Amino acid sequence: MDVFMPLLQGFDIAMGGWNLLYCLIGVTIGMLVGVLPGLGPTTGTALLLPITFSMDPIPAIIMLSGIYYGSLYGGTVTSVLINTPGEAASVTTCFDGYPMARQGRAGTALGVAGIGSFIGGTIAIIGLVFIGPPLAEFALKFGPPEFFALMILGLVLVVGLMGKSIVRGTIAAVVGLTLSLIGMDPISGTLRFTFGEPHLMEGFDFVTIAMGLFGISEVLLGLETAAHTGKPPKVGKLLPEREEWRPTLMAIARGTGLGCLTGLIPGSNAVIPSILSYTLEKKLAKDPSRFGQGAIEGVAGPETANNAYCGAALIPLFTMGIPSSPTIAVLFGAFIMHGLTPGPALFQSNPQFVWAVIASMFIGNFMLLIMNLPMAGMWGKIATVPSRILYPVIVIISVLGAYSVSGSVWDIWVMIFFGVAGYIMKKIDIPMAPVVLTFVLGKMIESSLLQSLMYFKGDFLGFFTRPIAGSMLVVAIILLVAGIVAGMKNKRSMLADDFEV
């Protein structure tokens, strides 16, 4: 399939009109979200989602996507300059980035991180360009049974990879599925779990849930741990020494591969490839003792991996309609909000939209490279904004955003409720990612299940008569059982250790 002409047309759209400006706004906000500790891509994207209500789909998704991958760039700055990760994926950057800054090499750490992020993100988007269309064409052969099996497999991976306990992950997934059932039945039109409340007839709105779980809950947590950060060090020379280029480029290459592969797995997040990359670089190093004391590979590899993951995670969204992480789930909600259905038909029904968004990611990555290298010192100063100023701004944005959903105070109270619920979930270590993902996918799972059962005349075993659907369900069952067994073994070993003590 020739992708060059559609991509060139996408660049023409992305560079024209207001789209280029919205790309710049998106990546700038993303940098700001990444720099400010405690926010992160999911919170930033959820908070800004209501702003796009009145926008056309192309500039809206371009801006939200820019916030997504821009925040991963921004998290690097605070990790290196003040030893505070702006978002979770940048935690590993603190291990060697901050020691490099204390040695007077903050500029070099930020330089290799910026270069690696640009390379990893760009290669992942190239992968989307070439893998996306044929994968989407293959997925067009899927019927309701295959989509049901695919979503179940994705949910099992989410439950297994999110959080420390498969039991907690399952609880979170069930909560999300239950919330998605509130409202009108998609087949019969029967009202469910509304308890006579008119506001619940159409179910909960995804925007209010997302802002509550990721915005308000972060404020409540941040009030507990708010601390004043010191003055960031000066940013000096940006490029590494001549003898450091080879190990740096090798780390970037390995980080790109890890990030791209991890991004294709539903349920993963940017933290996983970042940790895998750091572990791999330390194992391959001739002198592992350098790590933790300012090893340049310990910065280049993880930063490349998390940005490569970011681009690769869009492949399941665009081709299969499967959100593979919480932030992608928010983007999924934005697609639906603008009347677009992510999945295999998207490349055929809305090719201009698809290729314009993909082209904007190339442009946005280039913008971020420029913004990161010469302007790193400025972003470091922004990170020292006191929480007494930051948190009220987040609350105001959240309240206005919730109210703008339908012009009802009801949505504000729903957001506050889910904000408190999200805070409690984080305190007791129940992951929120399965809640969001299952809520987004819930109605799709229900519809595909009911359509499949109608086709199979009520026989659930009919799924296993379809090779693709049956294979995916078998894999899902094996993974679920393996996760339960592994959890039971870990619990027994912990109890045995406690008994010996």
Side-chain angles (χ1 to χ4, degrees):
M1 181 179 180
D2 184 15
V3 298
F4 293 104
M5 284 305 297
L7 183 60
L8 287 175
Q9 293 172 358
F11 271 104
D12 185 52
I13 297 172
M15 296 285 288
W18 290 92
N19 295 331
L20 187 63
L21 176 61
Y22 280 114
C23 182
L24 177 61
I25 292 173
V27 297
T28 304
I29 294 175
M31 278 291 298
L32 185 62
V33 166
V35 163
L36 295 172
L39 293 184
T42 307
T43 304
T45 310
L47 289 177
L48 275 296
L49 188 58
I51 295 177
T52 68
F53 283 169
S54 59
M55 295 170 59
D56 291 332
I58 291 177
I61 302 301
I62 283 176
M63 187 179 77
L64 292 173
S65 299
I67 296 172
Y68 171 40
Y69 56 82
S71 62
L72 294 177
Y73 277 79
T76 310
V77 177
T78 50
S79 297
V80 172
L81 296 183
I82 58 176
N83 201 30
T84 304
E87 44 84 35
S90 295
V91 170
T92 51
T93 308
C94 295
F95 299 161
D96 286 281
Y98 186 64
M100 287 183 70
R102 295 187 65 182
Q103 296 165 14
R105 305 192 68 200
T108 304
L110 292 172
V112 297
I115 293 169
S117 297
F118 174 76
I119 293 174
T122 302
I123 291 178
I125 299 167
I126 292 173
L128 174 59
V129 169
F130 288 99
I131 296 174
L135 188 59
E137 190 172 345
F138 171 74
L140 282 172
K141 301 175 183 177
F142 282 19
E146 284 74 25
F147 275 110
F148 172 76
L150 179 63
M151 286 183 280
I152 292 298
L153 177 59
L155 291 183
V156 170
L157 288 168
V158 168
V159 169
L161 293 175
M162 294 290 182
K164 299 176 182 178
S165 167
I166 194 168
V167 175
R168 292 190 177 101
T170 303
I171 291 171
V174 170
V175 169
L177 283 173
T178 304
L179 291 173
S180 72
L181 295 175
I182 296 174
M184 191 175 294
D185 183 282
I187 303 297
S188 66
T190 305
L191 294 178
R192 305 173 302 190
F193 307 117
T194 58
F195 305 105
E197 174 56 57
H199 289 101
L200 291 177
M201 289 178 63
E202 296 182 2
F204 287 115
D205 188 89
F206 173 74
V207 175
T208 55
I209 290 180
M211 287 192 299
L213 288 177
F214 296 106
I216 300 299
S217 66
E218 286 295 338
V219 172
L220 295 175
L221 281 175
L223 292 174
E224 292 183 352
T225 58
H228 178 71
T229 52
K231 184 179 179 181
K234 292 183 179 180
V235 178
K237 179 183 176 183
L238 294 171
L239 299 179
E241 302 296 336
R242 180 181 297 179
E243 64 274 10
E244 292 178 321
W245 273 108
R246 178 177 171 78
T248 298
L249 292 176
M250 293 299 292
I252 288 174
R254 289 187 288 264
T256 300
L258 281 172
C260 288
L261 289 174
T262 311
L264 297 174
I265 303 173
S268 59
N269 57 48
V271 179
I272 295 173
S274 182
I275 294 174
L276 289 175
S277 175
Y278 188 85
T279 304
L280 179 63
E281 295 306 321
K282 189 173 182 179
K283 286 185 177 181
L284 294 177
K286 293 181 179 178
D287 182 14
S289 63
R290 295 187 299 109
F291 285 77
Q293 300 179 15
I296 198 167
E297 307 98 297
V299 176
E303 282 300 316
T304 304
N306 64 40
N307 280 272
Y309 164 87
C310 180
L314 294 171
I315 295 176
L317 176 69
F318 276 83
T319 59
M320 300 286 189
I322 300 296
S324 56
S325 72
T327 314
I328 300 294
V330 176
L331 283 177
F332 185 100
F335 276 63
I336 301 298
M337 190 177 71
H338 286 280
L340 299 166
T341 304
L346 193 63
F347 279 86
Q348 292 188 353
S349 60
N350 293 281
Q352 288 188 330
F353 166 81
V354 172
W355 292 108
V357 172
I358 292 174
S360 74
M361 294 176 190
F362 285 104
I363 299 169
N365 268 285
F366 184 73
M367 289 178 176
L368 286 164
L369 181 65
I370 297 174
M371 292 168 64
N372 263 263
L373 299 186
M375 300 170 63
M378 180 197 74
W379 294 110
K381 292 178 182 178
I382 292 175
T384 60
V385 172
S387 56
R388 66 178 181 274
I389 298 175
L390 175 62
Y391 292 143
V393 171
I394 294 175
V395 172
I396 292 171
I397 292 173
S398 300
V399 170
L400 292 176
Y403 185 78
S404 67
V405 171
S406 60
S408 171
V409 178
W410 164 266
D411 291 310
I412 298 176
W413 286 112
V414 170
M415 179 195 66
I416 294 173
F417 171 80
F418 280 103
V420 175
Y423 169 77
I424 295 172
M425 289 171 64
K426 288 179 179 179
K427 295 295 287 184
I428 61 178
D429 199 26
I430 293 180
M432 289 191 296
V435 177
V436 177
L437 292 174
T438 51
F439 178 79
V440 169
L441 293 176
K443 292 189 181 301
M444 295 173 60
I445 292 174
E446 182 182 14
S447 297
S448 59
L449 173 61
L450 293 176
Q451 290 170 10
S452 300
L453 290 177
M454 289 172 65
Y455 176 77
F456 295 134
K457 298 180 180 180
D459 184 10
F460 188 83
L461 294 177
F463 284 98
F464 297 95
T465 64
R466 311 263 294 209
I468 297 176
S471 300
M472 287 190 287
L473 286 175
V474 168
V475 172
I477 293 170
I478 292 172
L479 290 175
L480 187 61
V481 173
I484 293 173
V485 172
M488 292 173 63
K489 287 183 177 179
N490 289 336
K491 189 173 182 179
R492 287 176 182 174
S493 62
M494 291 174 64
L495 289 172
D497 292 341
D498 292 341
F499 181 77
E500 289 177 3
V501 172

